Amino acid sequence: NVVAIPVDDPIAFTFFTGYMAMLAASVFFFFERGSVDGKWKLSMLVSALITGIAAVHYYYMRDYYLATGQTPTALRYIDWTLTVPLMCVEFYLLTKSAGAKTSLLWKLILASVFMLVTGYIGEAFSGGDSTQVALWGTLSTIGYVYVLYSAWYGEVAKLAKNTGDSTVIKGINTLGWFVLVGWAIYPIGYMCMPGGWLNTGLGWESSNVDLFYNIADAINKIGFGLVVYNIAINSKKA
Amino acid sequence: NVVAIPVDDPIAFTFFTGYMAMLAASVFFFFERGSVDGKWKLSMLVSALITGIAAVHYYYMRDYYLATGQTPTALRYIDWTLTVPLMCVEFYLLTKSAGAKTSLLWKLILASVFMLVTGYIGEAFSGGDSTQVALWGTLSTIGYVYVLYSAWYGEVAKLAKNTGDSTVIKGINTLGWFVLVGWAIYPIGYMCMPGGWLNTGLGWESSNVDLFYNIADAINKIGFGLVVYNIAINSKKA
Ligand SMILES: CC1=C(/C=C/C(C)=C/C=C/C(C)=C/C=O)C(C)(C)CCC1
Ligand SMILES: CC1=C(/C=C/C(C)=C/C=C/C(C)=C/C=O)C(C)(C)CCC1
């Protein structure tokens, strides 16, 4: 009953790397929370929680994948249900000093929950039907675009400018790039499932769903936290 | 022997999300305890214990549910036996500065233990008999209404006003709403069991008992703690 990872299974590889990277990142953020200035401690804690929560779910997901070879859809969305709203909390905390109200937080959470609920329906209940996959994926994208818009041109972007702190402005700008490029990897994964455009159109295998999701998770969860860490470190100097 | 959550099982979904949310909330309260003003550290610790205790019970409950598909009634009430009195402690601690006596604490604990003992009898020994379910549910509600009354018009409400701290008054008012709306989800779950009004009357399935309990627990345990955290943060500034 030992962990046996086939050498030719990139998905198992990323599940295990992802697990360990999340755990290590979480320990890192917990420790460094003690070194940053008081006003950044809360953001650091949220970063640690995001990667910590992911570490637990990756622990289950990699074992599930290794045992069954299947996509752990439910576990994946259980993880996102918790970590994506926490990322919205990060945006809120960073812009709070510029006067962000809780209404902003709720709008971001609402949009991202909409994105996840519709995405889940698409993944869990489409049964490989192309129309269903496309319909729910498109709906989901509306929620995604709302968060994206907010980070680039909407409330988050405006508030970031108002902070007058160049480190925060640059940091939020970087987070915007994460939402634009990093988050965009998820829909690519989604379209690899049976009935998805990349699956039916280009013949990409459905096992790639997890490959893309794992890579995207590592980039976004750990990267997001590192950006926040960077803001905390540099803004301290100023 | 891996964790395999069916995609179409919302109850398993909430058991897992609940577990992770409780654990994360507990870590959050433990850490943030270090950042709040001295007089709030005790309340923060109690919040961390409530969610921490729940995390352990959710760990067992989710596994029990996944393996058997049954309601983990005993584990549920074991959890409540510890966490509900701790919530009474929260009320007591918040009103202590206004002169709350331990007699208030004991009255709240007595009422809520009465609520839980009668509720347990109703759930464990009614055997689907409508009369039994209704009888014990009604008795249980008496205890619930006592706590509700105390928070809205009774001793807790009066003492909150006496604190003269607007953050505390507003906070206790919010907790009152939690007891009115959040706690009211529990009897809804109760009435879904075989012989309950929602089960016999509207045909709601008995599996919904856990769905409602899980949602209510997440709202009340984590929400309660966040309200206390909010009081601690804002009252510190003043
Ligand atoms: C647009 C879109 C999706 C977007 C998912 C995203 C953007 C997930 C982000 C997750 C993050 C950031 C997790 C980190 O903790 C889905 C649901 C795949 C469905 C297809 C359409
Ligand atoms: C009124 C009523 C009930 C109320 C239960 C409540 C109000 C439980 C609260 C639990 C909490 C707040 C736990 C958090 O840690 C029961 C027992 C279901 C039985 C039916 C009648």
Side-chain angles (χ1 to χ4, degrees), chain A residues 36-37 39-40 165 167 230-238:
Chain A
V36 301
D37 207 52
K39 66 174 168 170
W40 299 112
D165 181 335
T167 317
N230 214 49
I231 295 176
I233 289 292
N234 291 315
S235 169
K236 184 183 164 190
K237 276 190 225 135

Side-chain angles (χ1 to χ4, degrees), chain B residues 141-182:
Chain B
T141 304
I142 297 171
Y144 169 50
V145 169
Y146 180 88
V147 177
L148 189 60
Y149 178 84
S150 183
W152 278 79
Y153 307 104
E155 232 172 310
V156 171
K158 281 177 203 141
L159 286 164
K161 281 200 198 81
N162 292 347
T163 59
D165 181 335
S166 69
T167 316
V168 174
I169 297 174
K170 249 176 61 191
I172 297 218
N173 185 48
T174 312
L175 292 187
W177 278 101
F178 269 94
V179 178
L180 180 64
V181 181

Side-chain angles (χ1 to χ4, degrees), chain A residues 61 64 68 70-78 81 116-128 193 209-210 213, chain B residues 3-14 16-17 65-66 211:
Chain A
M61 287 199 286
Y64 178 88
T68 68
Q70 303 289 307
T71 301
T73 305
L75 278 166
R76 181 76 72 181
Y77 277 84
I78 287 169
T81 302
L116 294 175
V117 170
T118 48
Y120 187 72
I121 297 174
E123 279 197 55
F125 305 113
S126 288
M193 75 168 149
V209 173
D210 282 304
Y213 285 174
Chain B
V3 160
I5 306 169
V7 289
D8 58 352
D9 186 343
I11 294 147
F13 202 101
T14 52
F16 272 75
T17 320
Y65 174 79
L66 221 53
L211 188 64

Side-chain angles (χ1 to χ4, degrees), chain A residues 30 33 41-42 45-46 49 52-53 56-57 60 63-64 67-68 73-75 77-78 81-82 96 120 124-125, chain B residues 2-9 12-13 16-17 19-21 23-25 27-28 31-32 35 59 62 229 233 237:
Chain A
F30 274 125
R33 176 179 178 276
K41 286 196 193 300
L42 188 52
L45 181 57
V46 177
L49 289 178
I53 289 170
V56 176
H57 291 130
Y60 293 122
D63 287 354
Y64 178 88
T68 68
T73 305
L75 278 166
Y77 277 84
I78 287 169
T81 302
L82 295 166
K96 209 178 153 191
Y120 187 72
F125 305 113
Chain B
V2 293
V3 160
I5 306 169
V7 289
D8 58 352
D9 186 343
F13 202 101
F16 272 75
T17 320
Y19 165 62
M20 206 58 231
L23 189 57
V27 172
F28 179 85
F31 267 90
E32 282 299 303
S35 300
Y59 179 83
R62 44 163 236 189
Y229 174 63
I233 290 291
K237 274 190 227 136

Side-chain angles (χ1 to χ4, degrees), chain B residues 50 77 79-80 83-84 87 115-116 119-120 123 136-138 140-141 144 183-184 186-187 190 213 217 220-221:
Chain B
I50 291 173
Y77 278 85
D79 179 73
W80 288 348
T83 52
V84 177
M87 286 191 168
M115 171 183 92
L116 294 176
Y120 188 71
E123 278 197 57
W136 294 105
T138 309
S140 179
T141 304
Y144 169 50
W183 289 33
Y186 295 104
Y190 178 91
Y213 285 174
D217 264 359
N220 291 304
K221 291 185 165 95

Side-chain angles (χ1 to χ4, degrees), chain B residues 15 18-26 48-62 79 83 221:
Chain B
F15 266 123
Y19 165 62
M20 206 58 231
M22 296 293 176
L23 189 57
S26 183
L49 290 178
I50 291 173
T51 44
I53 289 169
V56 176
H57 291 129
Y58 266 80
Y59 179 83
Y60 294 121
M61 287 199 286
R62 44 163 236 189
D79 179 73
T83 52
K221 291 185 165 95

